[in-house]
Amino acid sequence: MSTSTNGLHPMGHGPRMNLGDLAIVAVAGQIAHPIGQANPYRIGNDGVPRILPGTGGIVLNHRIGDRCVGLAGDHIEPGVALHNNGREVVGPRDGPNNALLAYACIGNRARVISGPCLGSVGRVTGKHGGINHVLVDFAPGILRRLCIGDRIQIVSHGLGLALPDHPDITVLNASPGLLQRWGLHAHGGQLQVPVTHLVPGALMGSGLGKNTGCRGDYDIQLSDPGTRQRYRLDSLRFGDLVAVVDVDMAFGGHYRRGHVTVGVIVHGDSTVAGHGPGLAPLLTGPARVLRPVHGAQANLAEVYGLRHLGPARRYLPIHGRARTQQRMAAPVRSRVGAK
């Protein structure tokens, strides 16, 4: 990853896009209640059972730009989680939610259409596969007044987006507005893309094997301390734009040398084996044409002017803390056993 001199490139109009071909469609969902399993414990990759908050609901104190590592939570979804609870008589019963998940694009505007915050506007910041939620960021004052079950309508714009000057790059889950504001820069046949982190493809876990990249995310495993520290993955934040090397996600995530996928961090870390911060893909293609460049503030919060971010801090995952405590306690146990 090369280094840009000023973080993000100056805001411009981005690469040429097939805007005239796109359809703009309204889709909607309800704010989803968290779901509990019969057994409240999650067994971590360190063997420790924990009861932690998980997906769904309205997260009031963690939003885009905040850390996603070291939280006392599992797959925390910042802001508001949406699910369309409608049932269809034609096609699959969960067809409305499948459409919401596919149509919504990162950066789309979302408007509250019921409840005490009627008319308030937010922005789509993520998709979370498996639980099949669309994530929306609102200002803190609005988050505190929203209610479970409030309906939110999204102006879907971006499904089918393509870059005519870069035909080898596939666009997934990205709105045209995001590509215009991100600071993408064409140079010498390459598209240079500001990112905060590089992630080795070997760390990608849950989500691999899906046949599509437009309905969810892929988890970054943080269970190996050395790799996590080497690539600064303990400083990941919600909304960070990051690059995964040697992974192609054009038709579902898979290992492919010489390819790069750039995406956005949509949910928080997990203690469960194979899971971690979730990345929704945005751009994927050969490394010869898709080139990540370092931008310390390449985060949706900065891209959309939602808030200004200071330097990213590093945090120890909670499963990493348990291992550290075990190592510190080991000499004490051996001394006690020797008596």
Side-chain angles (χ1 to χ4, degrees):
M1 178 168 61
S2 61
T3 303
S4 61
T5 57
N6 60 348
L8 295 177
H9 291 290
M11 188 182 299
H13 297 291
R16 192 163 65 93
M17 295 176 272
N18 63 332
L19 296 179
D21 300 336
L22 302 183
I24 301 175
V25 182
V27 294
Q30 301 84 39
I31 299 179
H33 197 284
I35 298 174
Q37 302 298 326
N39 183 348
Y41 288 95
R42 299 176 192 241
I43 307 300
N45 56 47
D46 53 0
V48 177
R50 298 178 177 88
I51 301 177
L52 298 168
T55 56
I58 304 169
V59 176
L60 300 173
N61 62 336
H62 298 292
R63 62 184 295 230
I64 293 301
D66 291 332
R67 62 170 169 136
C68 70
V69 178
L71 301 176
D74 201 290
H75 292 78
I76 289 294
E77 298 171 329
V80 169
L82 300 186
H83 191 278
N84 190 308
N85 298 328
R87 292 290 181 264
E88 267 296 345
V89 294
V90 177
R93 295 184 67 233
D94 56 353
N97 194 64
N98 287 338
L100 170 65
L101 199 63
Y103 279 50
C105 293
I106 309 298
N108 285 162
R109 287 168 60 87
R111 185 169 59 87
V112 182
I113 58 175
S114 72
C117 296
L118 180 69
S120 298
V121 175
R123 196 171 297 275
V124 175
T125 56
K127 301 181 181 185
H128 187 180
I131 191 66
N132 294 340
H133 286 164
V134 171
L135 310 182
V136 180
D137 180 76
F138 288 96
I142 298 172
L143 286 174
R144 288 192 291 269
R145 296 174 56 222
L146 287 168
C147 301
I148 300 293
D150 284 352
R151 290 183 56 79
I152 296 176
Q153 184 161 291
I154 295 167
V155 179
S156 165
H157 188 204
L159 196 60
L161 189 62
L163 308 179
D165 298 330
H166 304 278
D168 292 329
I169 297 175
T170 301
V171 182
L172 298 160
N173 305 309
S175 68
L178 174 58
L179 299 192
Q180 290 168 341
R181 300 179 65 98
W182 190 346
L184 307 182
H185 180 68
H187 179 74
Q190 294 181 330
L191 187 64
Q192 298 181 350
V193 184
V195 300
T196 60
H197 297 74
L198 281 183
V199 180
L203 296 187
M204 301 311 292
S206 177
L208 293 177
K210 290 190 285 188
N211 63 3
T212 175
C214 70
R215 282 189 183 175
D217 67 299
Y218 301 80
D219 285 9
I220 303 169
Q221 302 176 77
L222 301 186
S223 51
D224 182 69
T227 308
R228 183 179 69 236
Q229 293 165 16
R230 177 182 176 186
Y231 291 92
R232 302 181 299 104
L233 301 180
D234 44 14
S235 65
L236 284 170
R237 300 170 295 191
F238 296 120
D240 272 352
L241 298 155
V242 306
V244 184
V245 296
D246 293 329
V247 165
D248 180 6
M249 292 185 180
F251 304 106
H254 58 282
Y255 180 83
R256 188 175 181 184
R257 290 193 64 180
H259 274 62
V260 175
T261 294
V262 180
V264 59
I265 300 298
V266 298
H267 69 66
D269 193 15
S270 171
T271 67
V272 179
H275 292 259
L279 177 136
L282 299 170
L283 301 169
T284 188
R288 59 181 168 79
V289 294
L290 184 58
R291 184 182 183 187
V293 297
H294 183 253
Q297 303 301 334
N299 183 286
L300 293 182
E302 292 278 1
V303 169
Y304 281 102
L306 301 176
R307 52 195 292 211
H308 177 67
L309 305 180
R313 295 177 55 190
R314 304 176 75 160
Y315 295 89
L316 194 64
I318 58 174
H319 48 86
R321 292 180 213 164
R323 290 195 180 101
T324 300
Q325 292 165 356
Q326 289 167 1
R327 286 196 300 270
M328 293 175 65
V332 175
R333 288 197 297 267
S334 74
R335 287 198 299 272
V336 170
K339 291 182 179 179

